[in-house]
Amino acid sequence: MSAKAVAWDIDGTLADSEPLHEKVLAEVCLHFGADISDLPPDHFRGVHMGDVWLELKDRMRAGTSEAAWQEAIIDTYVEQRAGVRAMDGAVETVKALAAAGIPQGCVSNSGRRIVDANLQALGIAGYLEFSISLDDVARGKPDPEPYAWACRRLGFPPSQVLAVEDSFAGFSSAVGAGLVTAFYAPAGAGVAGADHIITDLRTVLDLIDGESIPA
């Protein structure tokens, strides 16, 4: 299956942002009196922030609200956004697709300020048609809504849009919306049912229909 447009996930796909997310979480929790150094660094990887709060709230200083904690995490992440690194091949692939006139958008389960911080850190916002954040939809991934909306904004039916994802929730969202799927698994482990399993983001250049993409 090939496609005529690309819908990218951000965290873990375009952006190697997890180390910063983990660092910020530890710093903010400590600020509110919660030492989480006993937990593995990736303990909350892929976990919704509401569920993170439910697990950690009893460690917080009395009187700490979820809203204040969440806002502090976002503020700190944005302040430290220079710590976000691009996944190998991400920026060059986005630029090559843009040079070939392939429409691209981003579909994230992060809030708007985090999405904008990541795209600014990677320097790729100008190569994208749009970005969709969790704040822009009624239901985030794994619900199909974010990717269904991305297809409408890209102007192609789902069968002609390639979703590039690294998480099962994101993959499920894309499948539910009917997109062609490329599951990004740098370590080589994929998911059953993906149209493509890729270990290198540059492979996306080979999955576009009828286009000669410059390297």
Side-chain angles (χ1 to χ4, degrees), residues 1-3 158-164 171 174-176 178-184 190-198 203 207:
M1 297 182 181
S2 54
S159 61
Q160 295 181 357
V161 179
L162 178 71
V164 188
F171 168 74
V175 169
L179 282 72
V180 183
T181 54
F183 194 87
Y184 177 48
V191 296
D195 297 304
H196 308 279
I197 295 176
I198 61 175
T203 306
L207 304 180

PDB file of all heavy atoms in Angstrom, residues 1-3 158-164 171 174-176 178-184 190-198 203 207:
ATOM      1  N   MET A   1       0.838  -1.189   0.000  1.00  0.00           N
ATOM      2  CA  MET A   1       0.000   0.000   0.000  1.00  0.00           C
ATOM      3  C   MET A   1       0.876   1.242   0.000  1.00  0.00           C
ATOM      4  O   MET A   1       1.880   1.312   0.695  1.00  0.00           O
ATOM      5  CB  MET A   1      -0.904   0.010   1.230  1.00  0.00           C
ATOM      6  CG  MET A   1      -1.894  -1.133   1.298  1.00  0.00           C
ATOM      7  SD  MET A   1      -2.956  -1.000   2.766  1.00  0.00           S
ATOM      8  CE  MET A   1      -3.946  -2.478   2.572  1.00  0.00           C
ATOM      9  N   SER A   2       0.519   2.219  -0.814  1.00  0.00           N
ATOM     10  CA  SER A   2       1.253   3.477  -0.849  1.00  0.00           C
ATOM     11  C   SER A   2       0.277   4.613  -0.613  1.00  0.00           C
ATOM     12  O   SER A   2      -0.929   4.433  -0.628  1.00  0.00           O
ATOM     13  CB  SER A   2       1.981   3.638  -2.185  1.00  0.00           C
ATOM     14  OG  SER A   2       1.067   3.498  -3.254  1.00  0.00           O
ATOM     15  N   ALA A   3       0.814   5.803  -0.398  1.00  0.00           N
ATOM     16  CA  ALA A   3      -0.034   6.928  -0.002  1.00  0.00           C
ATOM     17  C   ALA A   3       0.413   8.203  -0.697  1.00  0.00           C
ATOM     18  O   ALA A   3       1.468   8.264  -1.315  1.00  0.00           O
ATOM     19  CB  ALA A   3       0.009   7.095   1.510  1.00  0.00           C
ATOM     20  N   PRO A 158      -8.756   8.454   3.704  1.00  0.00           N
ATOM     21  CA  PRO A 158      -7.836   7.753   4.600  1.00  0.00           C
ATOM     22  C   PRO A 158      -6.971   6.706   3.903  1.00  0.00           C
ATOM     23  O   PRO A 158      -5.810   6.503   4.288  1.00  0.00           O
ATOM     24  CB  PRO A 158      -8.772   7.106   5.631  1.00  0.00           C
ATOM     25  CG  PRO A 158      -9.961   7.998   5.663  1.00  0.00           C
ATOM     26  CD  PRO A 158     -10.145   8.465   4.244  1.00  0.00           C
ATOM     27  N   SER A 159      -7.504   6.060   2.892  1.00  0.00           N
ATOM     28  CA  SER A 159      -6.752   5.011   2.187  1.00  0.00           C
ATOM     29  C   SER A 159      -5.544   5.563   1.442  1.00  0.00           C
ATOM     30  O   SER A 159      -4.700   4.805   0.966  1.00  0.00           O
ATOM     31  CB  SER A 159      -7.666   4.270   1.206  1.00  0.00           C
ATOM     32  OG  SER A 159      -8.170   5.169   0.230  1.00  0.00           O
ATOM     33  N   GLN A 160      -5.448   6.902   1.335  1.00  0.00           N
ATOM     34  CA  GLN A 160      -4.315   7.522   0.641  1.00  0.00           C
ATOM     35  C   GLN A 160      -3.422   8.315   1.596  1.00  0.00           C
ATOM     36  O   GLN A 160      -2.553   9.062   1.151  1.00  0.00           O
ATOM     37  CB  GLN A 160      -4.834   8.426  -0.480  1.00  0.00           C
ATOM     38  CG  GLN A 160      -5.545   7.659  -1.585  1.00  0.00           C
ATOM     39  CD  GLN A 160      -6.031   8.565  -2.702  1.00  0.00           C
ATOM     40  OE1 GLN A 160      -5.896   9.783  -2.652  1.00  0.00           O
ATOM     41  NE2 GLN A 160      -6.622   7.966  -3.718  1.00  0.00           N
ATOM     42  N   VAL A 161      -3.625   8.144   2.892  1.00  0.00           N
ATOM     43  CA  VAL A 161      -2.811   8.850   3.891  1.00  0.00           C
ATOM     44  C   VAL A 161      -2.035   7.830   4.724  1.00  0.00           C
ATOM     45  O   VAL A 161      -2.608   6.868   5.233  1.00  0.00           O
ATOM     46  CB  VAL A 161      -3.685   9.726   4.806  1.00  0.00           C
ATOM     47  CG1 VAL A 161      -2.825  10.423   5.854  1.00  0.00           C
ATOM     48  CG2 VAL A 161      -4.457  10.759   3.981  1.00  0.00           C
ATOM     49  N   LEU A 162      -0.746   8.050   4.835  1.00  0.00           N
ATOM     50  CA  LEU A 162       0.123   7.188   5.627  1.00  0.00           C
ATOM     51  C   LEU A 162       0.273   7.754   7.029  1.00  0.00           C
ATOM     52  O   LEU A 162       0.732   8.883   7.205  1.00  0.00           O
ATOM     53  CB  LEU A 162       1.501   7.087   4.977  1.00  0.00           C
ATOM     54  CG  LEU A 162       2.547   6.243   5.717  1.00  0.00           C
ATOM     55  CD1 LEU A 162       2.191   4.755   5.636  1.00  0.00           C
ATOM     56  CD2 LEU A 162       3.945   6.490   5.146  1.00  0.00           C
ATOM     57  N   ALA A 163      -0.111   6.984   8.038  1.00  0.00           N
ATOM     58  CA  ALA A 163       0.109   7.362   9.437  1.00  0.00           C
ATOM     59  C   ALA A 163       1.385   6.700   9.919  1.00  0.00           C
ATOM     60  O   ALA A 163       1.544   5.482   9.785  1.00  0.00           O
ATOM     61  CB  ALA A 163      -1.067   6.918  10.300  1.00  0.00           C
ATOM     62  N   VAL A 164       2.287   7.500  10.489  1.00  0.00           N
ATOM     63  CA  VAL A 164       3.538   6.969  11.024  1.00  0.00           C
ATOM     64  C   VAL A 164       3.465   7.062  12.538  1.00  0.00           C
ATOM     65  O   VAL A 164       3.407   8.160  13.103  1.00  0.00           O
ATOM     66  CB  VAL A 164       4.759   7.735  10.482  1.00  0.00           C
ATOM     67  CG1 VAL A 164       6.053   7.030  10.913  1.00  0.00           C
ATOM     68  CG2 VAL A 164       4.698   7.861   8.962  1.00  0.00           C
ATOM     69  N   PHE A 171      -1.405   3.774  16.791  1.00  0.00           N
ATOM     70  CA  PHE A 171      -1.662   2.822  15.715  1.00  0.00           C
ATOM     71  C   PHE A 171      -3.150   2.469  15.660  1.00  0.00           C
ATOM     72  O   PHE A 171      -3.761   2.456  14.588  1.00  0.00           O
ATOM     73  CB  PHE A 171      -0.809   1.569  15.936  1.00  0.00           C
ATOM     74  CG  PHE A 171      -1.177   0.404  15.067  1.00  0.00           C
ATOM     75  CD1 PHE A 171      -0.855   0.383  13.720  1.00  0.00           C
ATOM     76  CD2 PHE A 171      -1.846  -0.697  15.604  1.00  0.00           C
ATOM     77  CE1 PHE A 171      -1.197  -0.705  12.914  1.00  0.00           C
ATOM     78  CE2 PHE A 171      -2.185  -1.776  14.813  1.00  0.00           C
ATOM     79  CZ  PHE A 171      -1.857  -1.788  13.464  1.00  0.00           C
ATOM     80  N   ALA A 174      -5.157   5.288  14.099  1.00  0.00           N
ATOM     81  CA  ALA A 174      -4.994   5.355  12.646  1.00  0.00           C
ATOM     82  C   ALA A 174      -5.749   4.230  11.947  1.00  0.00           C
ATOM     83  O   ALA A 174      -6.407   4.448  10.919  1.00  0.00           O
ATOM     84  CB  ALA A 174      -3.508   5.308  12.291  1.00  0.00           C
ATOM     85  N   VAL A 175      -5.662   3.024  12.495  1.00  0.00           N
ATOM     86  CA  VAL A 175      -6.385   1.895  11.905  1.00  0.00           C
ATOM     87  C   VAL A 175      -7.890   2.145  11.951  1.00  0.00           C
ATOM     88  O   VAL A 175      -8.613   1.912  10.981  1.00  0.00           O
ATOM     89  CB  VAL A 175      -6.034   0.586  12.641  1.00  0.00           C
ATOM     90  CG1 VAL A 175      -6.974  -0.544  12.222  1.00  0.00           C
ATOM     91  CG2 VAL A 175      -4.588   0.191  12.361  1.00  0.00           C
ATOM     92  N   GLY A 176      -8.371   2.651  13.082  1.00  0.00           N
ATOM     93  CA  GLY A 176      -9.794   2.922  13.220  1.00  0.00           C
ATOM     94  C   GLY A 176     -10.298   3.947  12.227  1.00  0.00           C
ATOM     95  O   GLY A 176     -11.462   3.906  11.805  1.00  0.00           O
ATOM     96  N   GLY A 178      -8.972   4.279   9.243  1.00  0.00           N
ATOM     97  CA  GLY A 178      -8.822   3.718   7.903  1.00  0.00           C
ATOM     98  C   GLY A 178      -7.567   4.111   7.152  1.00  0.00           C
ATOM     99  O   GLY A 178      -7.494   3.932   5.933  1.00  0.00           O
ATOM    100  N   LEU A 179      -6.554   4.646   7.850  1.00  0.00           N
ATOM    101  CA  LEU A 179      -5.327   5.074   7.180  1.00  0.00           C
ATOM    102  C   LEU A 179      -4.416   3.884   6.877  1.00  0.00           C
ATOM    103  O   LEU A 179      -4.508   2.820   7.496  1.00  0.00           O
ATOM    104  CB  LEU A 179      -4.553   6.074   8.040  1.00  0.00           C
ATOM    105  CG  LEU A 179      -5.054   7.516   8.065  1.00  0.00           C
ATOM    106  CD1 LEU A 179      -6.346   7.655   8.858  1.00  0.00           C
ATOM    107  CD2 LEU A 179      -3.980   8.446   8.628  1.00  0.00           C
ATOM    108  N   VAL A 180      -3.511   4.093   5.928  1.00  0.00           N
ATOM    109  CA  VAL A 180      -2.387   3.182   5.740  1.00  0.00           C
ATOM    110  C   VAL A 180      -1.448   3.397   6.923  1.00  0.00           C
ATOM    111  O   VAL A 180      -1.230   4.541   7.336  1.00  0.00           O
ATOM    112  CB  VAL A 180      -1.652   3.472   4.414  1.00  0.00           C
ATOM    113  CG1 VAL A 180      -0.522   2.466   4.198  1.00  0.00           C
ATOM    114  CG2 VAL A 180      -2.619   3.467   3.243  1.00  0.00           C
ATOM    115  N   THR A 181      -0.897   2.333   7.483  1.00  0.00           N
ATOM    116  CA  THR A 181      -0.093   2.482   8.693  1.00  0.00           C
ATOM    117  C   THR A 181       1.349   2.026   8.504  1.00  0.00           C
ATOM    118  O   THR A 181       1.610   0.984   7.901  1.00  0.00           O
ATOM    119  CB  THR A 181      -0.707   1.685   9.861  1.00  0.00           C
ATOM    120  OG1 THR A 181      -0.888   0.321   9.464  1.00  0.00           O
ATOM    121  CG2 THR A 181      -2.043   2.288  10.276  1.00  0.00           C
ATOM    122  N   ALA A 182       2.257   2.843   9.051  1.00  0.00           N
ATOM    123  CA  ALA A 182       3.663   2.477   9.152  1.00  0.00           C
ATOM    124  C   ALA A 182       4.023   2.536  10.626  1.00  0.00           C
ATOM    125  O   ALA A 182       4.010   3.621  11.226  1.00  0.00           O
ATOM    126  CB  ALA A 182       4.537   3.431   8.346  1.00  0.00           C
ATOM    127  N   PHE A 183       4.300   1.390  11.214  1.00  0.00           N
ATOM    128  CA  PHE A 183       4.647   1.345  12.641  1.00  0.00           C
ATOM    129  C   PHE A 183       6.149   1.463  12.765  1.00  0.00           C
ATOM    130  O   PHE A 183       6.899   0.639  12.242  1.00  0.00           O
ATOM    131  CB  PHE A 183       4.155   0.050  13.283  1.00  0.00           C
ATOM    132  CG  PHE A 183       4.192   0.097  14.788  1.00  0.00           C
ATOM    133  CD1 PHE A 183       3.124   0.613  15.500  1.00  0.00           C
ATOM    134  CD2 PHE A 183       5.308  -0.351  15.484  1.00  0.00           C
ATOM    135  CE1 PHE A 183       3.155   0.667  16.898  1.00  0.00           C
ATOM    136  CE2 PHE A 183       5.350  -0.302  16.867  1.00  0.00           C
ATOM    137  CZ  PHE A 183       4.279   0.213  17.581  1.00  0.00           C
ATOM    138  N   TYR A 184       6.582   2.525  13.467  1.00  0.00           N
ATOM    139  CA  TYR A 184       8.001   2.812  13.614  1.00  0.00           C
ATOM    140  C   TYR A 184       8.539   2.067  14.823  1.00  0.00           C
ATOM    141  O   TYR A 184       8.150   2.344  15.962  1.00  0.00           O
ATOM    142  CB  TYR A 184       8.207   4.321  13.767  1.00  0.00           C
ATOM    143  CG  TYR A 184       9.631   4.749  13.994  1.00  0.00           C
ATOM    144  CD1 TYR A 184      10.660   4.268  13.197  1.00  0.00           C
ATOM    145  CD2 TYR A 184       9.948   5.661  15.000  1.00  0.00           C
ATOM    146  CE1 TYR A 184      11.972   4.678  13.395  1.00  0.00           C
ATOM    147  CE2 TYR A 184      11.246   6.079  15.205  1.00  0.00           C
ATOM    148  CZ  TYR A 184      12.255   5.584  14.400  1.00  0.00           C
ATOM    149  OH  TYR A 184      13.559   5.985  14.609  1.00  0.00           O
ATOM    150  N   GLY A 190       7.448  -4.821  16.116  1.00  0.00           N
ATOM    151  CA  GLY A 190       6.310  -4.095  15.565  1.00  0.00           C
ATOM    152  C   GLY A 190       5.007  -4.541  16.186  1.00  0.00           C
ATOM    153  O   GLY A 190       4.985  -5.095  17.281  1.00  0.00           O
ATOM    154  N   VAL A 191       3.906  -4.281  15.490  1.00  0.00           N
ATOM    155  CA  VAL A 191       2.586  -4.719  15.936  1.00  0.00           C
ATOM    156  C   VAL A 191       1.922  -5.486  14.803  1.00  0.00           C
ATOM    157  O   VAL A 191       2.141  -5.193  13.624  1.00  0.00           O
ATOM    158  CB  VAL A 191       1.690  -3.534  16.353  1.00  0.00           C
ATOM    159  CG1 VAL A 191       2.260  -2.824  17.555  1.00  0.00           C
ATOM    160  CG2 VAL A 191       1.476  -2.565  15.194  1.00  0.00           C
ATOM    161  N   ALA A 192       1.120  -6.462  15.169  1.00  0.00           N
ATOM    162  CA  ALA A 192       0.391  -7.230  14.168  1.00  0.00           C
ATOM    163  C   ALA A 192      -0.622  -6.332  13.480  1.00  0.00           C
ATOM    164  O   ALA A 192      -1.282  -5.512  14.115  1.00  0.00           O
ATOM    165  CB  ALA A 192      -0.316  -8.407  14.833  1.00  0.00           C
ATOM    166  N   GLY A 193      -0.709  -6.478  12.171  1.00  0.00           N
ATOM    167  CA  GLY A 193      -1.721  -5.749  11.416  1.00  0.00           C
ATOM    168  C   GLY A 193      -1.254  -4.472  10.771  1.00  0.00           C
ATOM    169  O   GLY A 193      -1.997  -3.862   9.997  1.00  0.00           O
ATOM    170  N   ALA A 194      -0.027  -4.023  11.067  1.00  0.00           N
ATOM    171  CA  ALA A 194       0.482  -2.805  10.424  1.00  0.00           C
ATOM    172  C   ALA A 194       0.753  -3.078   8.947  1.00  0.00           C
ATOM    173  O   ALA A 194       1.213  -4.163   8.574  1.00  0.00           O
ATOM    174  CB  ALA A 194       1.754  -2.343  11.116  1.00  0.00           C
ATOM    175  N   ASP A 195       0.447  -2.100   8.112  1.00  0.00           N
ATOM    176  CA  ASP A 195       0.735  -2.253   6.689  1.00  0.00           C
ATOM    177  C   ASP A 195       2.239  -2.282   6.436  1.00  0.00           C
ATOM    178  O   ASP A 195       2.714  -2.983   5.547  1.00  0.00           O
ATOM    179  CB  ASP A 195       0.098  -1.104   5.896  1.00  0.00           C
ATOM    180  CG  ASP A 195      -1.412  -1.107   5.999  1.00  0.00           C
ATOM    181  OD1 ASP A 195      -2.026  -2.138   5.658  1.00  0.00           O
ATOM    182  OD2 ASP A 195      -1.982  -0.086   6.435  1.00  0.00           O
ATOM    183  N   HIS A 196       2.970  -1.512   7.223  1.00  0.00           N
ATOM    184  CA  HIS A 196       4.430  -1.492   7.120  1.00  0.00           C
ATOM    185  C   HIS A 196       5.011  -1.424   8.535  1.00  0.00           C
ATOM    186  O   HIS A 196       4.468  -0.729   9.399  1.00  0.00           O
ATOM    187  CB  HIS A 196       4.924  -0.265   6.340  1.00  0.00           C
ATOM    188  CG  HIS A 196       4.260  -0.081   5.008  1.00  0.00           C
ATOM    189  ND1 HIS A 196       4.639  -0.767   3.883  1.00  0.00           N
ATOM    190  CD2 HIS A 196       3.228   0.728   4.630  1.00  0.00           C
ATOM    191  CE1 HIS A 196       3.885  -0.401   2.857  1.00  0.00           C
ATOM    192  NE2 HIS A 196       3.019   0.510   3.288  1.00  0.00           N
ATOM    193  N   ILE A 197       6.098  -2.111   8.765  1.00  0.00           N
ATOM    194  CA  ILE A 197       6.872  -1.946   9.983  1.00  0.00           C
ATOM    195  C   ILE A 197       8.236  -1.431   9.563  1.00  0.00           C
ATOM    196  O   ILE A 197       8.930  -2.051   8.750  1.00  0.00           O
ATOM    197  CB  ILE A 197       7.004  -3.267  10.766  1.00  0.00           C
ATOM    198  CG1 ILE A 197       5.625  -3.720  11.261  1.00  0.00           C
ATOM    199  CG2 ILE A 197       7.950  -3.088  11.957  1.00  0.00           C
ATOM    200  CD1 ILE A 197       5.622  -5.059  11.950  1.00  0.00           C
ATOM    201  N   ILE A 198       8.606  -0.254  10.081  1.00  0.00           N
ATOM    202  CA  ILE A 198       9.843   0.385   9.641  1.00  0.00           C
ATOM    203  C   ILE A 198      10.780   0.580  10.832  1.00  0.00           C
ATOM    204  O   ILE A 198      10.354   0.837  11.949  1.00  0.00           O
ATOM    205  CB  ILE A 198       9.576   1.733   8.941  1.00  0.00           C
ATOM    206  CG1 ILE A 198       8.891   2.723   9.887  1.00  0.00           C
ATOM    207  CG2 ILE A 198       8.707   1.515   7.688  1.00  0.00           C
ATOM    208  CD1 ILE A 198       8.710   4.118   9.275  1.00  0.00           C
ATOM    209  N   THR A 203      12.608   5.357   5.434  1.00  0.00           N
ATOM    210  CA  THR A 203      11.825   4.395   4.661  1.00  0.00           C
ATOM    211  C   THR A 203      10.497   4.984   4.221  1.00  0.00           C
ATOM    212  O   THR A 203       9.927   4.560   3.203  1.00  0.00           O
ATOM    213  CB  THR A 203      11.574   3.123   5.498  1.00  0.00           C
ATOM    214  OG1 THR A 203      12.813   2.622   5.974  1.00  0.00           O
ATOM    215  CG2 THR A 203      10.877   2.053   4.685  1.00  0.00           C
ATOM    216  N   LEU A 207       7.404   4.924   0.569  1.00  0.00           N
ATOM    217  CA  LEU A 207       6.025   4.483   0.728  1.00  0.00           C
ATOM    218  C   LEU A 207       5.020   5.453   0.130  1.00  0.00           C
ATOM    219  O   LEU A 207       3.818   5.298   0.332  1.00  0.00           O
ATOM    220  CB  LEU A 207       5.707   4.292   2.229  1.00  0.00           C
ATOM    221  CG  LEU A 207       6.629   3.333   2.978  1.00  0.00           C
ATOM    222  CD1 LEU A 207       6.203   3.231   4.444  1.00  0.00           C
ATOM    223  CD2 LEU A 207       6.650   1.946   2.323  1.00  0.00           C
TER     224      LEU A 207
END
